[in-house]
Amino acid sequence: MPAAGPPAAALDPSWVTADPTPLAPDHAQRLAELSALDPALADLYRRGAELLAGAADVAALHERQVALLGRERGIVTRGLAELPSLPVEARKVRGRGLNLIKRWLSEIEAARRLVLERAAETRETIDVTLPGRRPWVGHRHVLGRIRDELLDLFHGLGYSVYESPEVERDEYNFTKLNFPPDHPARDAHDTYFLTDDVLLRTHTSPGWVRAMEERKPPLRLVFPGRVYRAEQVDASHMDQFHQIDGLFVDRNVSMADLKATLNAFARAIYGVEARTRLIPIYFPFVEPGCQMDVECSICGGSGRVAGEGGARRCAVCKGTGWIELLGAGMVHTEVFRAVGYDPEEVTGFAFGMGLERIAMMRYGIPEIRMFLENDVRFLRQF
Ligand code: DAH
Protein backbone atom coordinates (compact mmCIF):
# COMPACT_ATOMS: atom_id res chain seq x y z
CA MET A 1 0.00 0.00 0.00
CA PRO A 2 1.71 3.25 -1.07
CA ALA A 3 2.07 5.81 1.68
CA ALA A 4 -0.02 8.96 1.55
CA GLY A 5 1.53 12.43 1.23
CA PRO A 6 3.99 14.09 -1.13
CA PRO A 7 6.78 12.23 -2.90
CA ALA A 8 10.25 12.32 -1.35
CA ALA A 9 12.50 15.32 -2.08
CA ALA A 10 15.23 14.88 -4.66
CA LEU A 11 18.90 15.19 -3.72
CA ASP A 12 20.47 17.57 -6.22
CA PRO A 13 23.32 15.68 -7.95
CA SER A 14 25.30 18.93 -8.31
CA TRP A 15 25.58 19.42 -4.53
CA VAL A 16 29.16 19.40 -3.32
CA THR A 17 30.04 16.58 -0.92
CA ALA A 18 32.77 16.05 1.65
CA ASP A 19 34.12 13.30 3.86
CA PRO A 20 31.99 13.25 7.04
CA THR A 21 34.59 11.41 9.14
CA PRO A 22 35.85 14.59 10.92
CA LEU A 23 32.27 15.25 12.04
CA ALA A 24 31.46 11.60 12.80
CA PRO A 25 34.57 9.64 13.85
CA ASP A 26 32.73 6.30 13.75
CA HIS A 27 31.40 6.86 10.25
CA ALA A 28 32.96 3.65 8.93
CA GLN A 29 31.43 1.48 11.69
CA ARG A 30 28.06 3.04 11.00
CA LEU A 31 28.35 2.12 7.33
CA ALA A 32 29.28 -1.44 8.24
CA GLU A 33 26.38 -1.76 10.64
CA LEU A 34 23.92 -0.47 8.03
CA SER A 35 25.41 -2.63 5.24
CA ALA A 36 24.74 -5.68 7.39
CA LEU A 37 21.09 -4.68 7.52
CA ASP A 38 20.69 -3.57 3.91
CA PRO A 39 23.31 -2.10 1.50
CA ALA A 40 20.64 0.34 0.23
CA LEU A 41 20.35 1.79 3.75
CA ALA A 42 24.15 2.13 3.94
CA ASP A 43 24.11 3.98 0.59
CA LEU A 44 21.41 6.35 1.79
CA TYR A 45 23.37 7.14 4.95
CA ARG A 46 26.65 7.61 3.13
CA ARG A 47 25.12 9.97 0.58
CA GLY A 48 23.31 11.97 3.25
CA ALA A 49 26.37 12.22 5.50
CA GLU A 50 28.62 13.37 2.64
CA LEU A 51 26.08 15.98 1.53
CA LEU A 52 25.72 17.44 5.03
CA ALA A 53 29.49 17.49 5.52
CA GLY A 54 29.90 19.25 2.17
CA ALA A 55 27.48 22.13 2.89
CA ALA A 56 29.49 25.34 2.37
CA ASP A 57 27.29 27.57 4.48
CA VAL A 58 24.32 27.52 6.83
CA ALA A 59 21.80 28.04 4.01
CA ALA A 60 23.13 25.08 2.02
CA LEU A 61 23.16 22.98 5.17
CA HIS A 62 19.53 23.82 5.86
CA GLU A 63 18.51 22.98 2.30
CA ARG A 64 20.18 19.56 2.53
CA GLN A 65 18.81 18.89 5.98
CA VAL A 66 15.26 19.55 4.66
CA ALA A 67 15.81 17.24 1.69
CA LEU A 68 16.99 14.43 3.98
CA LEU A 69 15.10 14.84 7.24
CA GLY A 70 12.38 17.42 6.47
CA ARG A 71 9.08 16.62 8.13
CA GLU A 72 7.04 16.50 4.89
CA ARG A 73 9.32 15.46 2.06
CA GLY A 74 12.56 14.39 3.66
CA ILE A 75 13.79 11.15 2.17
CA VAL A 76 14.35 9.52 5.54
CA THR A 77 11.02 10.78 6.86
CA ARG A 78 9.26 9.45 3.81
CA GLY A 79 10.95 6.08 4.24
CA LEU A 80 9.72 5.89 7.83
CA ALA A 81 6.22 6.85 6.72
CA GLU A 82 6.22 3.97 4.26
CA LEU A 83 7.13 1.34 6.87
CA PRO A 84 3.53 0.29 7.70
CA SER A 85 3.10 -0.90 4.11
CA LEU A 86 5.98 -3.35 4.42
CA PRO A 87 5.90 -6.99 5.50
CA VAL A 88 6.74 -7.46 9.18
CA GLU A 89 10.35 -8.73 8.78
CA ALA A 90 11.31 -6.06 6.24
CA ARG A 91 9.55 -3.45 8.34
CA LYS A 92 11.71 -4.36 11.37
CA VAL A 93 15.00 -4.21 9.45
CA ARG A 94 14.17 -0.98 7.56
CA GLY A 95 12.65 0.63 10.63
CA ARG A 96 15.76 0.00 12.67
CA GLY A 97 18.06 1.18 9.84
CA LEU A 98 16.06 4.34 9.06
CA ASN A 99 15.90 5.33 12.71
CA LEU A 100 19.68 4.95 13.00
CA ILE A 101 20.14 7.01 9.84
CA LYS A 102 17.82 9.71 11.13
CA ARG A 103 19.74 9.99 14.39
CA TRP A 104 23.19 9.90 12.83
CA LEU A 105 22.40 12.42 10.09
CA SER A 106 20.89 14.76 12.69
CA GLU A 107 24.13 14.55 14.65
CA ILE A 108 26.23 15.26 11.59
CA GLU A 109 23.98 18.17 10.65
CA ALA A 110 24.39 19.67 14.14
CA ALA A 111 28.16 19.17 14.08
CA ARG A 112 28.47 20.77 10.66
CA ARG A 113 26.28 23.71 11.75
CA LEU A 114 28.57 24.33 14.72
CA VAL A 115 31.63 24.39 12.47
CA LEU A 116 29.97 26.84 10.08
CA GLU A 117 28.76 29.15 12.85
CA ARG A 118 32.16 29.25 14.52
CA ALA A 119 33.81 30.11 11.22
CA ALA A 120 31.30 32.90 10.60
CA GLU A 121 32.04 34.39 14.02
CA THR A 122 35.78 34.52 13.51
CA ARG A 123 35.73 35.53 9.85
CA GLU A 124 36.37 39.23 9.36
CA THR A 125 33.20 40.65 7.95
CA ILE A 126 33.48 43.64 5.67
CA ASP A 127 30.58 46.03 5.47
CA VAL A 128 31.23 47.81 2.18
CA THR A 129 28.57 50.41 2.96
CA LEU A 130 30.48 51.80 5.95
CA PRO A 131 32.50 54.97 5.31
CA GLY A 132 36.22 54.19 4.99
CA ARG A 133 38.69 54.88 7.76
CA ARG A 134 41.22 57.42 6.55
CA PRO A 135 44.77 56.99 7.75
CA TRP A 136 45.51 59.70 10.30
CA VAL A 137 47.72 62.37 8.81
CA GLY A 138 49.48 65.20 10.54
CA HIS A 139 50.18 68.65 9.19
CA ARG A 140 53.31 70.60 8.34
CA HIS A 141 54.34 72.97 11.07
CA VAL A 142 53.61 76.63 10.36
CA LEU A 143 57.21 77.58 11.21
CA GLY A 144 58.55 75.01 8.76
CA ARG A 145 56.33 76.46 6.06
CA ILE A 146 57.43 80.01 6.74
CA ARG A 147 61.07 78.98 6.85
CA ASP A 148 60.71 77.27 3.47
CA GLU A 149 58.90 80.26 2.03
CA LEU A 150 61.72 82.56 3.13
CA LEU A 151 64.44 80.19 1.94
CA ASP A 152 62.67 80.09 -1.42
CA LEU A 153 62.61 83.84 -1.58
CA PHE A 154 66.29 84.18 -0.74
CA HIS A 155 67.16 81.35 -3.06
CA GLY A 156 65.61 83.49 -5.81
CA LEU A 157 67.96 86.33 -4.75
CA GLY A 158 70.96 84.02 -5.10
CA TYR A 159 71.44 82.86 -1.49
CA SER A 160 72.33 79.30 -0.42
CA VAL A 161 71.64 77.67 2.94
CA TYR A 162 74.41 77.21 5.50
CA GLU A 163 73.67 75.20 8.66
CA SER A 164 75.71 75.64 11.80
CA PRO A 165 75.60 73.92 15.21
CA GLU A 166 72.99 74.62 17.91
CA VAL A 167 75.58 73.78 20.55
CA GLU A 168 78.14 76.48 19.93
CA ARG A 169 81.39 77.81 21.33
CA ASP A 170 81.41 81.16 23.12
CA GLU A 171 84.03 82.25 20.61
CA TYR A 172 81.63 81.93 17.68
CA ASN A 173 78.45 83.03 19.42
CA PHE A 174 80.10 86.14 20.90
CA THR A 175 83.82 86.86 20.70
CA LYS A 176 84.38 86.69 16.95
CA LEU A 177 81.13 88.60 16.47
CA ASN A 178 82.81 91.47 18.29
CA PHE A 179 81.22 91.00 21.69
CA PRO A 180 84.27 91.77 23.83
CA PRO A 181 84.61 89.70 27.04
CA ASP A 182 82.51 91.19 29.85
CA HIS A 183 80.76 93.52 27.41
CA PRO A 184 77.20 94.31 28.54
CA ALA A 185 75.83 93.28 25.12
CA ARG A 186 76.39 89.68 26.19
CA ASP A 187 73.95 90.09 29.06
CA ALA A 188 71.13 90.91 26.66
CA HIS A 189 71.38 87.35 25.39
CA ASP A 190 70.41 85.42 28.56
CA THR A 191 72.63 82.55 27.55
CA TYR A 192 72.32 78.88 28.50
CA PHE A 193 75.93 77.92 29.19
CA LEU A 194 76.89 74.24 29.14
CA THR A 195 80.46 74.94 30.25
CA ASP A 196 82.44 78.18 30.49
CA ASP A 197 83.20 77.87 26.82
CA VAL A 198 80.24 75.96 25.36
CA LEU A 199 76.65 77.22 25.13
CA LEU A 200 73.37 76.88 23.29
CA ARG A 201 73.57 79.46 20.51
CA THR A 202 71.56 82.56 21.26
CA HIS A 203 71.26 83.59 17.59
CA THR A 204 72.01 82.24 14.12
CA SER A 205 74.68 84.89 13.47
CA PRO A 206 77.60 82.59 14.56
CA GLY A 207 76.93 80.78 11.26
CA TRP A 208 78.47 83.70 9.38
CA VAL A 209 81.74 83.34 11.27
CA ARG A 210 81.94 79.64 10.48
CA ALA A 211 81.02 80.19 6.84
CA MET A 212 83.58 82.99 6.39
CA GLU A 213 86.34 80.99 8.08
CA GLU A 214 85.59 78.12 5.72
CA ARG A 215 85.10 79.99 2.45
CA LYS A 216 86.51 82.86 0.47
CA PRO A 217 84.36 85.83 -0.61
CA PRO A 218 82.05 86.49 -2.35
CA LEU A 219 79.43 84.90 -0.11
CA ARG A 220 75.68 85.00 -0.28
CA LEU A 221 74.23 82.76 2.44
CA VAL A 222 71.21 82.30 4.70
CA PHE A 223 71.43 80.63 8.12
CA PRO A 224 68.14 79.12 9.34
CA GLY A 225 67.87 77.43 12.70
CA ARG A 226 66.75 77.14 16.29
CA VAL A 227 68.18 79.40 18.98
CA TYR A 228 67.97 79.41 22.79
CA ARG A 229 67.72 82.04 25.48
CA ALA A 230 67.15 81.64 29.19
CA GLU A 231 64.02 83.78 29.09
CA GLN A 232 61.12 83.87 31.49
CA VAL A 233 58.43 82.18 29.35
CA ASP A 234 55.27 84.19 28.64
CA ALA A 235 52.86 84.85 25.75
CA SER A 236 55.57 86.43 23.63
CA HIS A 237 58.78 84.89 25.01
CA MET A 238 60.07 81.36 24.79
CA ASP A 239 63.42 79.96 25.75
CA GLN A 240 63.77 78.53 22.27
CA PHE A 241 62.73 80.04 18.97
CA HIS A 242 63.85 80.25 15.35
CA GLN A 243 65.81 82.73 13.30
CA ILE A 244 67.13 83.18 9.81
CA ASP A 245 70.24 85.26 9.33
CA GLY A 246 71.45 86.40 5.93
CA LEU A 247 74.96 87.41 4.88
CA PHE A 248 76.18 89.05 1.68
CA VAL A 249 79.93 89.69 1.34
CA ASP A 250 81.64 90.99 -1.82
CA ARG A 251 83.52 94.04 -3.08
CA ASN A 252 81.58 97.30 -2.86
CA VAL A 253 78.48 96.00 -1.13
CA SER A 254 76.62 99.04 0.20
CA MET A 255 73.84 99.98 2.56
CA ALA A 256 71.69 100.61 -0.56
CA ASP A 257 72.05 96.92 -1.45
CA LEU A 258 70.96 96.01 2.05
CA LYS A 259 67.93 98.27 1.86
CA ALA A 260 66.86 96.94 -1.55
CA THR A 261 67.21 93.35 -0.34
CA LEU A 262 65.20 93.98 2.82
CA ASN A 263 62.48 95.79 0.87
CA ALA A 264 62.20 92.87 -1.54
CA PHE A 265 61.81 90.62 1.47
CA ALA A 266 59.22 92.81 3.24
CA ARG A 267 57.10 93.15 0.11
CA ALA A 268 57.18 89.42 -0.54
CA ILE A 269 55.93 88.79 2.98
CA TYR A 270 53.60 91.74 3.59
CA GLY A 271 52.54 92.69 0.05
CA VAL A 272 53.87 95.07 -2.62
CA GLU A 273 52.27 98.07 -0.93
CA ALA A 274 54.07 97.51 2.37
CA ARG A 275 56.01 100.57 3.62
CA THR A 276 59.20 100.05 5.60
CA ARG A 277 61.70 102.16 7.55
CA LEU A 278 65.23 101.70 8.85
CA ILE A 279 66.13 102.94 12.32
CA PRO A 280 69.70 103.04 13.63
CA ILE A 281 70.35 100.58 16.44
CA TYR A 282 73.36 98.95 18.06
CA PHE A 283 74.53 95.39 17.42
CA PRO A 284 78.20 94.63 18.14
CA PHE A 285 78.75 92.80 14.82
CA VAL A 286 77.47 95.46 12.41
CA GLU A 287 78.33 99.12 11.83
CA PRO A 288 76.13 100.90 11.09
CA GLY A 289 73.42 98.72 12.57
CA CYS A 290 69.74 99.16 11.96
CA GLN A 291 66.33 97.77 12.68
CA MET A 292 63.80 97.44 9.91
CA ASP A 293 60.17 98.14 10.71
CA VAL A 294 57.18 97.46 8.51
CA GLU A 295 54.01 99.49 8.59
CA CYS A 296 51.43 97.78 10.80
CA SER A 297 49.00 95.88 8.59
CA ILE A 298 46.31 95.85 11.28
CA CYS A 299 45.86 99.64 11.66
CA GLY A 300 47.39 100.66 8.30
CA GLY A 301 50.07 102.66 10.10
CA SER A 302 47.68 104.97 11.97
CA GLY A 303 48.21 103.30 15.34
CA ARG A 304 44.47 103.30 15.95
CA VAL A 305 41.69 100.83 15.15
CA ALA A 306 37.90 101.23 15.20
CA GLY A 307 36.36 99.85 18.41
CA GLU A 308 32.98 99.79 20.10
CA GLY A 309 33.23 103.20 21.76
CA GLY A 310 35.21 104.88 18.97
CA ALA A 311 38.85 104.46 17.88
CA ARG A 312 41.24 102.55 20.13
CA ARG A 313 44.97 102.09 20.28
CA CYS A 314 46.11 99.29 17.91
CA ALA A 315 47.17 96.36 20.10
CA VAL A 316 49.46 94.82 17.51
CA CYS A 317 51.81 97.80 17.00
CA LYS A 318 50.94 99.26 20.42
CA GLY A 319 49.83 102.51 18.78
CA THR A 320 53.11 103.22 16.99
CA GLY A 321 51.95 102.26 13.48
CA TRP A 322 55.16 100.27 12.98
CA ILE A 323 56.23 96.73 13.68
CA GLU A 324 59.82 95.73 14.31
CA LEU A 325 60.73 93.15 11.70
CA LEU A 326 64.45 92.40 11.89
CA GLY A 327 67.94 93.52 12.75
CA ALA A 328 70.51 94.30 10.06
CA GLY A 329 73.59 96.30 9.20
CA MET A 330 76.96 96.43 7.47
CA VAL A 331 79.30 93.70 8.71
CA HIS A 332 81.73 95.14 11.27
CA THR A 333 85.38 95.41 10.25
CA GLU A 334 86.33 93.58 13.47
CA VAL A 335 84.27 90.59 12.39
CA PHE A 336 86.03 90.51 9.02
CA ARG A 337 89.37 90.65 10.81
CA ALA A 338 88.38 87.83 13.16
CA VAL A 339 87.74 85.50 10.22
CA GLY A 340 90.79 86.59 8.22
CA TYR A 341 89.02 88.73 5.61
CA ASP A 342 90.60 92.06 4.68
CA PRO A 343 88.13 94.88 5.48
CA GLU A 344 89.93 97.04 2.90
CA GLU A 345 89.02 94.50 0.24
CA VAL A 346 85.49 93.43 1.07
CA THR A 347 82.33 94.85 2.51
CA GLY A 348 79.09 93.13 3.34
CA PHE A 349 75.72 93.32 4.94
CA ALA A 350 73.83 90.99 7.24
CA PHE A 351 70.33 90.68 8.61
CA GLY A 352 68.54 88.46 11.08
CA MET A 353 64.87 87.81 11.75
CA GLY A 354 62.72 85.72 14.08
CA LEU A 355 60.33 83.25 12.46
CA GLU A 356 57.85 83.11 15.34
CA ARG A 357 57.47 86.86 15.20
CA ILE A 358 56.78 86.80 11.45
CA ALA A 359 54.21 84.02 11.84
CA MET A 360 52.49 85.73 14.79
CA MET A 361 52.25 88.98 12.84
CA ARG A 362 51.02 87.42 9.66
CA TYR A 363 48.38 85.15 11.19
CA GLY A 364 47.50 87.11 14.31
CA ILE A 365 48.73 84.30 16.59
CA PRO A 366 48.51 85.68 20.15
CA GLU A 367 50.62 83.09 22.01
CA ILE A 368 54.19 82.01 21.18
CA ARG A 369 53.80 78.81 23.22
CA MET A 370 51.32 77.45 20.66
CA PHE A 371 54.19 76.80 18.27
CA LEU A 372 55.66 74.21 20.57
CA GLU A 373 52.49 72.42 21.63
CA ASN A 374 52.12 70.58 18.31
CA ASP A 375 48.34 70.53 18.64
CA VAL A 376 47.18 69.53 15.19
CA ARG A 377 44.02 71.65 15.61
CA PHE A 378 46.31 74.68 15.76
CA LEU A 379 48.66 73.54 13.00
CA ARG A 380 45.89 72.65 10.55
CA GLN A 381 44.83 76.26 10.33
CA PHE A 382 47.89 77.29 8.34
N1 DAH B 1 71.62 88.23 15.88
C1 DAH B 1 70.76 89.33 16.30
C2 DAH B 1 69.86 88.84 17.44
O1 DAH B 1 69.60 87.69 17.52
C3 DAH B 1 69.90 89.80 15.18
C4 DAH B 1 70.67 90.41 14.09
C5 DAH B 1 70.95 91.75 14.08
C6 DAH B 1 71.16 89.66 13.05
C7 DAH B 1 71.66 92.35 13.07
C8 DAH B 1 71.89 90.25 12.04
C9 DAH B 1 72.13 91.60 12.06
O2 DAH B 1 72.37 89.55 11.01
O3 DAH B 1 72.83 92.19 11.07
O4 DAH B 1 69.43 89.63 18.22
Side-chain angles (χ1 to χ4, degrees):
M1 193 177 91
L11 300 179
D12 189 330
S14 73
W15 282 346
V16 177
T17 60
D19 177 11
T21 314
L23 301 171
D26 50 354
H27 181 61
Q29 285 137 262
R30 291 174 180 182
L31 281 175
E33 191 174 337
L34 290 170
S35 292
L37 294 175
D38 178 349
L41 289 173
D43 280 348
L44 174 60
Y45 166 74
R46 181 198 293 111
R47 179 96 186 117
E50 287 173 357
L51 285 173
L52 292 171
D57 52 42
V58 174
L61 183 65
H62 179 70
E63 185 178 31
R64 295 170 190 202
Q65 188 261 350
V66 168
L68 289 161
L69 303 168
R71 252 192 277 161
E72 288 287 313
R73 303 180 55 222
I75 291 174
V76 179
T77 320
R78 293 290 306 148
L80 287 165
E82 282 163 7
L83 287 178
S85 63
L86 297 180
V88 176
E89 270 315 300
R91 192 195 307 168
K92 268 196 192 156
V93 173
R94 269 186 84 80
R96 185 168 136 66
L98 285 171
N99 276 309
L100 286 173
I101 290 170
K102 183 178 169 184
R103 195 173 86 220
W104 290 339
L105 290 185
S106 296
E107 284 170 14
I108 290 172
E109 192 267 345
R112 181 63 187 154
R113 179 176 300 275
L114 205 66
V115 169
L116 291 172
E117 284 171 354
R118 290 240 174 90
E121 272 168 24
T122 52
R123 200 181 309 131
E124 200 186 330
T125 50
I126 297 171
D127 182 345
V128 294
T129 67
L130 283 175
R133 249 176 273 159
R134 281 172 196 279
W136 195 87
V137 284
H139 195 277
R140 288 207 58 203
H141 198 284
V142 56
L143 293 176
R145 296 167 73 108
I146 289 198
R147 178 201 57 211
D148 287 353
E149 187 183 329
L150 293 178
L151 293 184
D152 242 27
L153 172 72
F154 286 114
H155 187 77
L157 296 173
Y159 290 73
S160 330
V161 171
Y162 186 99
E163 308 230 26
S164 74
E166 286 181 24
V167 177
E168 187 51 283
R169 306 242 311 273
D170 179 285
E171 200 186 354
Y172 286 91
N173 196 81
F174 292 127
T175 312
K176 291 186 178 189
L177 283 169
N178 195 33
F179 288 79
D182 305 318
H183 192 278
R186 289 182 181 230
D187 299 344
H189 280 235
D190 298 312
T191 311
Y192 281 121
F193 281 94
L194 304 179
T195 69
D196 280 353
D197 179 44
V198 179
L199 46 78
L200 297 180
R201 67 175 175 196
T202 60
H203 51 173
T204 43
S205 308
W208 334 340
V209 180
R210 291 183 171 274
M212 288 191 285
E213 283 185 346
E214 246 171 50
R215 303 177 189 185
K216 295 212 170 314
L219 291 184
R220 216 182 294 186
L221 296 169
V222 276
F223 306 85
R226 190 186 300 240
V227 301
Y228 301 84
R229 292 196 194 173
E231 302 257 17
Q232 190 65 44
V233 173
D234 65 26
S236 53
H237 295 88
M238 284 277 289
D239 59 0
Q240 49 180 290
F241 53 100
H242 298 80
Q243 292 185 335
I244 296 184
D245 262 55
L247 176 70
F248 191 149
V249 180
D250 204 343
R251 292 177 192 277
N252 302 319
V253 179
S254 75
M255 193 90 187
D257 299 316
L258 169 61
K259 208 172 165 186
T261 303
L262 295 182
N263 278 336
F265 154 74
R267 290 181 186 139
I269 297 289
Y270 294 99
V272 285
E273 300 292 310
R275 297 207 309 145
T276 59
R277 68 176 183 184
L278 290 182
I279 311 177
I281 193 168
Y282 172 76
F283 296 104
F285 36 86
V286 283
E287 179 58 34
C290 58
Q291 165 186 319
M292 182 155 110
D293 292 354
V294 65
E295 199 172 60
C296 177
S297 56
I298 304 300
C299 63
S302 70
R304 302 191 71 73
V305 285
E308 272 168 31
R312 277 182 306 149
R313 196 178 76 126
C314 175
V316 174
C317 64
K318 307 209 164 59
T320 64
W322 295 96
I323 286 166
E324 182 190 331
L325 201 55
L326 48 77
M330 302 307 293
V331 178
H332 201 289
T333 49
E334 283 305 311
V335 177
F336 281 145
R337 281 197 195 95
V339 299
Y341 283 12
D342 181 356
E344 302 298 324
E345 288 271 309
V346 293
T347 50
F349 64 73
F351 53 88
M353 61 191 84
L355 293 188
E356 280 81 355
R357 176 185 206 85
I358 292 173
M360 288 169 85
M361 276 286 309
R362 182 194 269 187
Y363 298 115
I365 298 167
E367 225 328 322
I368 197 171
R369 283 170 281 200
M370 287 176 154
F371 292 114
L372 226 79
E373 279 166 2
N374 278 338
D375 186 331
V376 82
R377 291 169 300 182
F378 168 72
L379 296 176
R380 272 211 203 98
Q381 299 175 56
F382 308 104

